[in-house]
Amino acid sequence: MKKFRADLHVHTVLSPCAEVEMIPPLIVQKALELNIDLIAITDHNASANVAAVQKAAAGSTLKVLPGMEVQTHEDVHLLCLFENLSELENWQTAVNASLPETLNHAEFFGEQYIVDENGDYIQTETRMLLTSTRFSIDDVFEQVNTLGGLVIPAHVDRSSYGLFPTLGLLAEQWPILGFEISRHTTPKKARATFPSMGNYPLIQSGDVHRLDEFLGSTIFTLTEPTLNEIRKALKNENDRQLYIENMPDK
């Protein structure tokens, strides 16, 4: 078993709300400087820069999981994590079909750049990404789990797109293994504010839109940094564990 420092919610310049510094080589460099072992690239409703970050990390100690932050039609953000690019590509195909045919207003939302592993420009994504898909929360859980992925409700404490402030409830049919809390709370405060959270495992991520937003406060005890191992840690199976570091109430 080994401890892995993780941040499972990282955006690139493909997300319109991310800064232009969020290019693959700088993302990898910053994560390594902070001794982060594991990240997930989770752009808004998109995944075109995931492979580039993985290539930028090749040969380093950093493991990059494929992922996406999906916005449901209930206006809730869900992290969708996958083991490999093939699973993510299948999910992207489904998401593309669920997005409205609306062009991005770059002057208002920001540019959406697809880049290579060096951060060099390839093309601009013109379709609006910062919008709701036609998927319900139920749809996302069903389809992502069928593809072999893992769904974690994102920044559930936040008033914008957080599960609890937006809906104020949990549905019994959602196969939730854990929640993500934002940098603005602690596990103790989150559980006190949202009793529905119960004793579900919690991760904390930076929701990184700028290089100085990495947290790396979630620590996993795993045999290797894979999605399957993370799933076991969320279930507390076979000595796999997780905790949030440097929190007064951890």
Side-chain angles (χ1 to χ4, degrees):
M1 291 290 184
K2 180 182 175 182
K3 289 184 178 181
F4 295 91
R5 185 178 300 276
D7 199 315
L8 300 181
H9 192 162
V10 180
H11 294 270
T12 77
V13 288
L14 182 53
S15 291
C17 42
E19 297 294 332
V20 293
E21 66 193 79
M22 295 304 293
I23 58 175
L26 295 184
I27 290 171
V28 172
Q29 177 183 328
K30 189 63 175 181
L32 291 172
E33 287 175 357
L34 296 173
N35 296 315
I36 293 174
D37 306 292
L38 174 63
I39 64 172
I41 298 301
T42 53
D43 283 310
H44 290 287
N45 295 323
S47 59
N49 283 345
V50 172
V53 181
Q54 289 184 328
K55 289 178 181 178
S60 76
T61 58
L62 182 67
K63 173 65 179 288
V64 180
L65 284 177
M68 181 189 298
E69 183 176 22
V70 170
Q71 185 169 319
T72 71
H73 76 65
E74 299 97 340
D75 286 336
V76 169
H77 283 183
L78 303 175
L79 297 180
C80 302
L81 307 180
F82 297 90
E83 195 72 76
N84 56 60
L85 289 175
S86 178
E87 294 172 352
L88 178 61
E89 288 167 1
N90 289 333
W91 174 236
Q92 183 69 73
T93 298
V95 171
N96 287 344
S98 77
L99 284 170
E101 294 292 341
T102 305
L103 293 178
N104 182 46
H105 299 289
E107 67 282 359
F108 182 76
F109 294 109
E111 294 286 0
Q112 302 173 157
Y113 296 129
I114 299 172
V115 297
D116 66 14
E117 65 267 32
N118 299 311
D120 293 330
Y121 175 84
I122 295 177
Q123 67 185 71
T124 297
E125 172 59 64
T126 58
R127 197 174 190 180
M128 182 183 291
L129 298 177
L130 206 62
T131 187
S132 293
T133 64
R134 289 192 292 271
F135 290 139
S136 67
I137 296 173
D138 299 72
D139 293 333
V140 175
F141 271 107
E142 179 181 358
Q143 295 194 41
V144 170
N145 287 344
T146 297
L147 290 170
L150 171 66
V151 178
I152 301 177
H155 44 63
V156 294
D157 56 289
R158 273 183 35 187
S159 58
S160 298
Y161 309 111
L163 176 64
F164 292 114
T166 301
L167 296 183
L169 56 83
L170 287 179
E172 291 184 1
Q173 69 267 24
W174 297 337
I176 293 172
L177 295 185
F179 299 109
E180 179 199 62
I181 58 172
S182 75
R183 66 174 64 245
H184 304 296
T185 191
T186 67
K188 184 177 181 179
K189 290 179 181 177
R191 294 187 197 278
T193 305
F194 306 107
S196 298
M197 188 177 293
N199 292 317
Y200 280 99
L202 302 178
I203 66 170
Q204 187 177 46
S205 306
D207 191 5
V208 184
H209 291 79
R210 305 193 310 263
L211 292 174
D212 63 3
E213 291 182 334
F214 274 100
L215 283 184
S217 58
T218 300
I219 310 296
F220 289 98
T221 301
L222 313 168
T223 59
E224 57 183 341
T226 65
L227 186 65
N228 188 49
E229 286 286 292
I230 289 173
R231 188 181 285 109
K232 288 180 180 178
L234 290 167
K235 294 180 179 180
N236 196 27
E237 289 182 351
N238 304 118
D239 296 325
R240 277 68 167 181
Q241 299 175 348
L242 72 93
Y243 65 91
I244 297 174
E245 189 178 61
N246 296 328
M247 303 297 288
D249 60 328
K250 68 181 181 182

